[in-house]
Amino acid sequence: MIETGQTPRTRYDEGCLGAHALNFIGDRWALLVVRELMFAPKRFQMIRAGMPGITASVLTQRLGQMTQTGIVHHDAVLGIYSLTELGRALHPMLTELCRWALLLPGHDPKKFISISALMISISATVDARRAAGSPLRAGFLSGSEGFEVTISAQGLPQVRAVREPKGDFVLVGNGNALAAAIYGPPPAALAAAGRIALHGDPAAAQEFTGFFSIAPQTRSSSESPDEIVQAPAASST
């Protein structure tokens, strides 16, 4: 059984399970903190780099609250924050939130997107039937954050944080440039224009990115949650 830490302050005084969950994660920025820690532990400044709109004081407050309630673990010696089992269990909810967002008007993909946010979004935007069984391994590198992505037999992205991504191809750039490579023109064209770097097989990169679209996706209710692997604590700075 998961230890949930201290009981949060009451925001919604209801017996509804959804309201109870929001008592833990309903504050502004809370879910985005979870997003930034979903794949690897990070230090404070690295978390903040993925959330440019948050102030240092608010981030400190959110991390403190989420540590007290057992969603985040803080290694005070190393200065590293990581998700607990309880926090990692929010991955399917973040994926569904992204999938629901595809139905809403006004999304602007030109606004800032962190690489962690992009790695969560691909689970919501994959065409699972088309991707199922693909043997391709994709690598993504944004600054010091690296990821390898494979596809499960059911067509679901399996994301792993790594120091030095390897695969049939590796795309290098900031979050927005990599999002453009996944959802926009062929990666080779973006590389030729200097917007990203592409190492490896351009045809494999084009095939892999073709599995994803920001058009609304349908999914069978029988599909299992997406798989994630969290990197060791020492991997983030």
Side-chain angles (χ1 to χ4, degrees):
M1 183 175 180
I2 300 173
E3 294 294 334
T4 58
Q6 298 180 19
T7 302
R9 64 182 175 86
T10 300
R11 297 165 182 80
Y12 305 98
D13 192 17
E14 298 183 10
C16 166
L17 283 171
H20 180 58
L22 289 173
N23 283 332
F24 285 80
I25 57 169
D27 280 320
R28 188 183 182 195
W29 299 107
L31 280 177
L32 301 191
V33 171
V34 172
R35 179 196 73 193
E36 290 304 305
L37 291 173
M38 185 55 66
F39 300 106
K42 297 179 180 179
R43 291 190 171 93
F44 184 92
Q45 290 301 334
M46 195 171 186
I47 300 170
R48 193 178 176 195
M51 304 167 61
I54 196 170
T55 66
S57 60
V58 171
L59 179 55
T60 298
Q61 184 180 45
R62 292 294 172 271
L63 287 168
Q65 291 169 341
M66 297 168 77
T67 298
Q68 289 177 351
T69 54
I71 296 170
V72 169
H73 171 72
H74 181 213
D75 186 325
V77 175
L78 297 177
I80 289 176
Y81 295 88
S82 60
L83 291 182
T84 63
E85 180 183 353
L86 185 64
R88 291 192 297 273
L90 287 165
H91 185 269
M93 188 184 77
L94 287 172
T95 299
E96 290 303 325
L97 194 62
C98 290
R99 186 174 284 116
W100 183 67
L102 295 173
L103 305 174
L104 304 176
H107 172 243
D108 185 354
K110 296 186 295 297
K111 292 183 177 180
F112 174 86
I113 181 171
S114 72
I115 184 63
S116 294
L118 180 61
M119 290 297 102
I120 288 176
S121 79
I122 62 174
S123 294
T125 59
V126 66
D127 183 336
R129 292 184 180 181
R130 184 177 178 186
S134 172
L136 294 175
R137 179 183 297 273
F140 298 92
L141 182 63
S142 180
S144 61
E145 295 188 77
F147 297 88
E148 289 179 359
V149 183
T150 55
I151 303 294
S152 73
Q154 293 74 35
L156 302 178
Q158 299 173 300
V159 179
R160 186 165 69 99
V162 297
R163 291 179 183 272
E164 299 179 3
K166 299 178 181 179
D168 296 284
F169 65 92
V170 177
L171 303 182
V172 184
N174 62 34
N176 288 78
L178 294 177
I182 292 174
Y183 299 124
L190 292 174
R195 295 182 60 187
I196 62 169
L198 193 165
H199 306 289
D201 186 354
Q206 183 166 348
E207 179 182 350
F208 186 89
T209 57
F211 298 148
F212 305 92
S213 170
I214 54 175
Q217 300 287 326
T218 59
R219 190 190 71 172
S220 167
S221 60
S222 63
E223 290 182 9
S224 59
D226 309 318
E227 295 186 29
I228 63 170
V229 179
Q230 196 169 41
S235 67
S236 297
T237 57

